[in-house]
Amino acid sequence: MPAPVEIEVVSCLSDNYAYLVKTGDVCAVVDPSEPEPVKAALARRGWKLTHILNTHHHLDHTGGNLALKAETGAVVVGPAKDAARIPGLDSGVEEGSDWELGGHKVQVLEVPAHTRGAITFVIDGNAFTGDTLFTLGCGRLFEGDAAMMWKSLSKLMRLPDDTKIWCGHEYTQSNGRFALTLEPGNQALKARMNEVNIARAAGEPTVPATLGLEKQTNPFLRPDSAEIRKSLGMEKEDTVTVFAEIRERKNSF
Ligand code: ZN
Ligand code: FE
């Protein structure tokens, strides 16, 4: 039996999250925006960094790579398809690339659209989704279109409902305000927003959320919701067209 997995949320920059994923003698950081808060969290816990995992190339997810690698010798793992844009990359992974972190299988899902190389790591029921799936939201379409993002999100939706979603930013509250404009009658969403507001007022993170809860409340996973379609006046359009409209409206919310 591998050692259990412990996860520590590390706040970086203004609203980014990096994550320490510790099991046995192994400790990975997911998406280190900057080195200092990661080093402080490692010191606080007495953990030794062995791996750096990147979900995508953006600087607010990779900005700590080189300093942390130089200091700790950690191995940098990221999308092979974006090898040229991941600072210090040692090991490029693709969907189906089988690897292990401290005896735990790590599943790699390719989820392009925010960036063309974006990946999600799934470790022991924890999905690190970067800027693809946010709690109550989804990432912007910088290097793909709505059809590509819908396909990527649909792939994530096939994970078990109890999968924990750990995303790249604390955007839940503003995402939820937008979600309520489309689905004001969604009771699960209203209940969730009450909890989110309480957590944020106390300065606490709103991650993780389960995939099952996301499916009930995240409008980007719900383009077939009757209420959302009615709000948009799009009762007959196909799923991707509705999804594209939701993304479009969020851009100017
Ligand atoms: Zn990004
Ligand atoms: Fe980001």
Side-chain angles (χ1 to χ4, degrees):
M1 279 284 284
V5 171
E6 284 181 80
I7 297 175
E8 166 112 356
V9 179
V10 184
S11 292
C12 294
L13 305 176
S14 60
D15 55 26
N16 274 81
Y17 287 135
Y19 299 102
L20 296 181
V21 184
K22 156 83 160 56
T23 177
D25 296 336
V26 167
C27 180
V29 62
V30 181
D31 285 355
S33 318
E34 49 178 347
E36 293 308 327
V38 175
K39 280 157 59 178
L42 287 164
R44 205 162 51 236
R45 298 297 293 253
W47 294 349
K48 203 179 149 316
L49 193 69
T50 57
H51 295 75
I52 296 167
L53 276 47
N54 297 126
T55 61
H56 66 294
H57 73 87
H58 285 157
L59 191 62
D60 64 315
H61 300 257
T62 59
N65 276 22
L66 294 180
L68 290 169
K69 181 179 176 176
E71 199 152 316
T72 65
V75 177
V76 179
V77 182
K81 292 206 165 111
D82 244 337
R85 299 196 287 181
I86 304 288
L89 185 73
D90 295 301
S91 173
V93 292
E94 301 185 313
E95 189 153 314
S97 290
D98 238 354
W99 63 293
E100 284 195 354
L101 190 73
H104 295 272
K105 182 175 171 277
V106 180
Q107 190 182 359
V108 175
L109 299 174
E110 292 182 348
V111 285
H114 178 67
T115 66
R116 61 178 173 271
I119 56 177
T120 285
F121 297 96
V122 187
I123 306 167
D124 202 38
N126 299 285
F128 297 92
T129 57
D131 292 357
T132 296
L133 174 62
F134 288 125
T135 43
L136 287 177
C138 90
R140 286 178 184 261
L141 308 177
F142 290 124
E143 300 178 12
D145 60 12
M148 191 187 286
M149 181 58 99
W150 176 247
K151 196 174 164 205
S152 292
L153 293 175
S154 298
K155 190 184 283 186
L156 295 176
M157 286 167 78
R158 290 194 288 273
L159 291 166
D161 275 354
D162 63 356
T163 303
K164 293 190 179 81
I165 305 298
W166 305 85
C167 57
H169 293 263
E170 180 58 65
Y171 290 160
T172 317
Q173 198 170 35
S174 60
N175 285 341
R177 286 192 196 112
F178 170 73
L180 282 168
T181 66
L182 298 179
E183 240 180 345
N186 182 332
Q187 297 302 326
L189 174 59
K190 285 198 269 190
R192 183 176 183 187
M193 273 304 276
N194 285 336
E195 288 175 22
V196 165
N197 292 337
I198 290 166
R200 292 312 294 153
E204 284 164 12
T206 58
V207 286
T210 64
L211 179 63
L213 182 60
E214 290 301 323
K215 286 181 182 173
Q216 288 172 32
T217 53
N218 184 331
F220 293 95
L221 305 185
R222 300 174 57 75
D224 292 326
S225 144
E227 188 181 6
I228 290 179
R229 284 172 168 260
K230 192 151 181 271
S231 296
L232 297 171
M234 299 180 83
E235 270 136 319
K236 301 232 149 49
E237 277 79 353
D238 64 76
T239 302
V240 169
T241 305
V242 177
F243 174 79
E245 179 64 17
I246 299 170
R247 186 57 268 176
E248 214 33 65
R249 293 211 181 192
K250 179 64 169 64
N251 289 345
S252 51
F253 177 71

